[in-house]
Amino acid sequence: MSSTLLPSSNYVSVTWGIRTDSGGLTVTLLHRAGIMSQAGAGHVTVLTFDNFPDYDQVEVELRKMGRLFGDVSIRNLWDWLRTEQIPVRSTGPSTALDKAFTPIADSDSYESTFRGGKEISRTRYAADDVTVLQVDHFREDGTLMLSDRRDFRERGVRGGRRIILCDVEGKPYKLWKVANDFYHWSLDRMNGKTPTTYIVDSKTAVNMFIEYRRRNALTVHVIQGAHVEGITSDGRPILSEARSKSIQNLPAYDLVATLTKRQRKDVTDIVGASPNLAVIPNSVPLPDPSSITLERPLDRGIVVAAFVPRKRVHLAIEAASKAHATTPLHLDVYGDGESKPEVDAMVNAVDATRFATLHGYSTTALGETKTASFILITSETEGTPLVLLEGMAAGCIPISFDIPYGPSDIIVDGVNGFLIHDGDTDAMAAAIVRLQSLPAEKVLAMRKAAIDSVQSFNDAAVLELWNKELRKAWKHKSAAWWRALRKWQTTNAEKAYARRAPEIGPKLPPAPRR
């Protein structure tokens, strides 16, 4: 591990939720938390905000899988709050609190979440059976801990929010009308006045930090994915609905890290010059190059991706089917998810069982890059794909669509991989065929070049970047000239944003209940 010593501070890595089968973003942030804990950060807390009941089991399983290591633990907001002793109101009952206090009644229609046979939450839905109207959280002893109602203006219709924290007896103690105010109170209570560095990867959680400004809190936003979904006919960017608010408010954060220089440029094109912007790529544990077997069968390719719309796994199968018409190959596909019907439809359409095997989700899938000849990457957008870095580090030649961001920053077409025009499965198939027709010495040279290309993404190099930027951010935070510059930056960002007039992508429908 690097000799880098990070600034003295509490370190909190923020995401919305974690599961054992979570994808690259979760793997990346857990890896960063682990190496930071070993580089002077001390204990690192991974803070989650979703209402998942089994984080104790998740933490155990992630340690078994090797994804959670070092002095790192997972803390869920609701589990933390269950341990807080909220006293009875010193001023006695409050008429305003009592009027707003409308917990879910036993006679209401709701769904319960249990842990160890104990009810820990109730959720009430709208008539569409999807929209959440109220969530009540309970302590282990059964007392009501917090009631979060979201249809306060008219029952059954979302609108008007009342979040009421209860005391140890389950009686109203404190009220918030805005969720972020409640989150800010929670963050203040968790860490007090201790210097705390919040590193926020989640596009969902990051918005709560826009107005969270404390002298002892350093807010860091890592833009893990693409913020632009496309370009309008007159050349204006179309911002991702999920990221539009945070991009428009980038000056609010003490430090913003993009994964590539290309993305930093695209961000500044939208919000103007941003002195709080830095480029800090994700790191991966790189194997010793001398341990990689470069000679391997040319005909085996792999896909490692979640089956979600953004990954477009069906296009990888389509491209492989076109290549298979010309040359023998076998494609191993690792993943699962909501887009499996689309993937299965493509498998049936091209009779992919002739040349492909769908293995489902596997925690060891990336290990297959040490024996596979090539890896197909067909995403619509990425940050710096973990599969790209680990695949190239293992000598697995990438064949990737040229998308924002990541592949074009690493892949030199024909040298260490192949860059394909986005969505062109004919060209991807041609690259697969071309790879198999190359002389053996050329293929070996490409594998070596792929390995060499990702050596700068090692843990020590990336930790040094974090050390440099965090120290600079903490130093600037207390400087009067920096605060003046940030005010200028905010005004400049507003003008630049208005000048570019970016469109906002379509809002995604709520996820179906499971």
Side-chain angles (χ1 to χ4, degrees), residues 216-229:
N216 66 302
L218 192 79
T219 57
V220 184
H221 175 23
V222 183
I223 307 178
Q224 287 282 4
H227 62 285
V228 173
E229 293 184 336

Side-chain angles (χ1 to χ4, degrees), residues 187-506:
L187 295 174
D188 288 345
R189 192 175 179 95
M190 280 183 196
N191 295 292
K193 296 183 179 180
T194 304
T196 303
T197 301
Y198 296 94
I199 303 178
V200 192
D201 295 83
S202 166
K203 59 178 179 279
T204 304
V206 74
N207 291 334
M208 74 177 68
F209 287 85
I210 291 174
E211 296 179 352
Y212 187 68
R213 298 172 187 176
R214 306 289 190 270
R215 289 185 179 274
N216 66 302
L218 192 79
T219 57
V220 184
H221 175 23
V222 183
I223 307 178
Q224 287 282 4
H227 62 285
V228 173
E229 293 184 336
I231 303 294
T232 63
S233 59
D234 57 352
R236 291 178 291 113
I238 301 173
L239 286 180
S240 159
E241 168 74 24
R243 298 185 188 277
S244 60
K245 187 174 182 180
S246 60
I247 293 297
Q248 190 174 359
N249 290 278
L250 282 187
Y253 307 104
D254 294 303
L255 174 63
V256 178
T258 64
L259 303 183
T260 72
K261 292 180 180 179
R262 180 181 169 195
Q263 185 166 28
R264 180 176 63 180
K265 180 183 181 302
D266 285 356
V267 169
T268 56
D269 283 347
I270 294 173
V271 296
S274 302
N276 63 339
L277 267 175
V279 177
I280 309 177
N282 292 326
S283 71
V284 292
L286 299 177
D288 182 350
S290 64
S291 69
I292 302 299
T293 302
L294 297 178
E295 295 183 357
R296 58 188 80 172
L298 290 176
D299 61 352
R300 181 176 176 236
I302 64 169
V303 175
V304 183
F307 287 7
V308 295
R310 181 173 63 86
K311 297 292 186 177
R312 301 186 295 188
V313 174
H314 65 289
L315 295 186
I317 295 172
E318 181 181 341
S321 73
K322 294 176 178 179
H324 184 254
T326 302
T327 185
L329 67 85
H330 187 81
L331 187 69
D332 288 305
V333 181
Y334 297 89
D336 201 354
E338 62 186 271
S339 294
K340 192 173 188 302
E342 186 176 23
V343 174
D344 289 341
M346 180 61 72
V347 168
N348 293 330
V350 301
D351 192 16
T353 53
R354 295 174 296 126
F355 60 85
T357 303
L358 271 63
H359 297 272
Y361 174 76
S362 171
T363 60
T364 60
L366 281 173
E368 299 296 319
T369 57
K370 295 179 180 179
T371 55
S373 180
F374 60 91
I375 183 168
L376 302 182
I377 297 175
T378 53
S379 305
E380 285 183 334
T381 61
E382 289 286 358
T384 302
L386 181 65
V387 295
L388 176 64
L389 298 178
E390 293 208 15
M392 294 180 74
C396 190
I397 295 174
I399 303 176
S400 172
F401 289 149
D402 186 2
I403 56 171
Y405 297 89
S408 63
D409 295 274
I410 304 170
I411 300 173
V412 180
D413 188 52
V415 177
N416 60 0
F418 298 97
L419 272 178
I420 311 300
H421 182 72
D422 188 17
D424 190 341
T425 55
D426 288 332
M428 179 167 280
I432 296 171
V433 174
R434 179 186 170 194
L435 175 62
Q436 296 199 44
S437 66
L438 290 175
E441 60 272 17
K442 172 62 176 175
V443 176
L444 290 178
M446 290 188 72
R447 296 199 197 285
K448 290 178 182 177
I451 294 170
D452 291 342
S453 299
V454 296
Q455 294 308 303
S456 61
F457 294 90
N458 68 78
D459 291 341
V462 173
L463 272 174
E464 188 53 49
L465 288 174
W466 274 111
N467 179 49
K468 173 186 173 183
E469 296 300 337
L470 289 174
R471 288 187 180 279
K472 186 192 302 182
W474 273 112
K475 181 179 179 181
H476 285 170
K477 188 173 179 68
S478 60
W481 67 268
W482 180 254
R483 291 195 293 272
L485 181 60
R486 291 281 294 280
K487 288 182 180 179
W488 168 85
Q489 182 189 356
T490 300
T491 302
N492 184 58
E494 292 172 353
K495 291 179 179 178
Y497 190 86
R499 188 165 56 248
R500 288 302 302 272
E503 290 192 2
I504 308 300

Side-chain angles (χ1 to χ4, degrees), residues 120-150:
I120 61 171
S121 71
R122 293 178 177 180
T123 304
R124 180 169 60 85
Y125 293 92
D128 63 5
D129 206 32
V130 172
T131 305
V132 174
L133 297 181
Q134 185 168 350
V135 183
D136 286 1
H137 300 268
F138 298 89
R139 298 185 178 91
E140 295 292 339
D141 63 4
T143 58
L144 182 61
M145 177 180 73
L146 181 141
S147 181
D148 177 6
R149 183 176 173 185
R150 308 172 194 184

